Amino acid sequence: MPTPNKAASVAELTDAFQSSNAAVLTEYRGLTVAQLKTLRRALGENAQYAVVKNTLTKIAANQAGITSLDDQFNGPTAVAFVTGDPVESAKALRDFAKENPNLIIKAGVLDGKALSADDIKKLADLESREVLLSKLAGAFKGKQSQAASLFQALPSKLVRTVDALRAKQAEQGGAE
């Protein structure tokens, strides 16, 4: 029979899995409390980094419909629940892991899709959402100006062609 504290913990973790865009499982063995505090600051306000109990977290993940992480709940585990841009959080975790090799990124979930550690590193290599959106807007703007030039060129070309035809007809009419 589960205790009320454990049931509350499972309910809280289930809610965290359901309300986040992504979740990243890490192993933090060998990190100090100060290093974990630095990691939490690096993740910012868009992610919550929580040291969790494996059994309770596995139950919570299953209740949230996530079964792909079941084999990852071993050893000291912490989860980064990402509510903002997953790319920024993945970058923060990757950069922190470079400086602190004791942090090991195990696996994760992004919008219900399972991610391996390599997938999370690839996600970290992407540019931020704002940069990608600005590049897309720039591409659209460039295509619009090209289209405007094309549409402007067609009538002027038509006018030049009609003038050339008139001139040719005038020459032929004057030569006869």
Side-chain angles (χ1 to χ4, degrees):
M1 181 113 169
T3 65
N5 287 343
K6 288 182 180 179
S9 294
V10 168
E12 186 179 329
L13 288 168
T14 301
D15 183 50
F17 274 112
Q18 290 173 337
S19 64
S20 61
N21 303 351
V24 180
L25 269 61
T26 63
E27 183 176 319
Y28 64 93
R29 188 186 326 248
L31 293 176
T32 65
V33 173
Q35 288 172 321
L36 289 175
K37 189 175 181 180
T38 303
L39 175 57
R40 285 186 177 103
R41 255 189 265 123
L43 286 171
E45 296 178 11
N46 294 334
Q48 175 190 5
Y49 190 74
V51 174
V52 295
K53 294 188 179 209
N54 289 328
T55 306
L56 299 179
T57 308
K58 183 177 179 179
I59 293 169
N62 288 333
Q63 286 181 359
I66 301 168
T67 57
S68 58
L69 301 176
D70 284 354
D71 57 340
Q72 298 295 328
F73 293 111
N74 49 37
T77 303
V79 182
F81 295 105
V82 181
T83 54
D85 186 7
V87 174
E88 288 180 25
S89 298
K91 284 181 184 189
L93 286 167
R94 178 199 60 196
D95 295 344
F96 187 85
K98 281 182 184 176
E99 295 173 15
N100 302 284
N102 288 334
L103 180 74
I104 299 168
I105 298 172
K106 293 178 169 184
V109 172
L110 175 64
D111 293 328
K113 181 181 177 272
L115 298 174
S116 68
D118 289 334
D119 293 336
I120 294 168
K121 290 174 184 169
K122 288 177 187 174
L123 183 65
D125 291 336
L126 289 176
E127 293 174 333
S128 71
R129 183 176 189 271
E130 290 78 20
V131 171
L132 291 175
L133 286 174
S134 65
K135 284 185 175 183
L136 182 63
F140 281 141
K141 184 179 178 185
K143 294 298 178 191
Q144 286 175 344
S145 64
Q146 286 176 349
S149 299
L150 177 66
F151 293 139
Q152 187 178 14
L154 289 175
S156 63
K157 187 174 182 180
L158 177 66
V159 168
R160 286 194 303 269
T161 305
V162 169
D163 283 344
L165 280 172
R166 280 189 193 149
K168 187 174 181 181
Q169 285 178 348
E171 282 180 18
Q172 288 177 353
E176 291 179 22

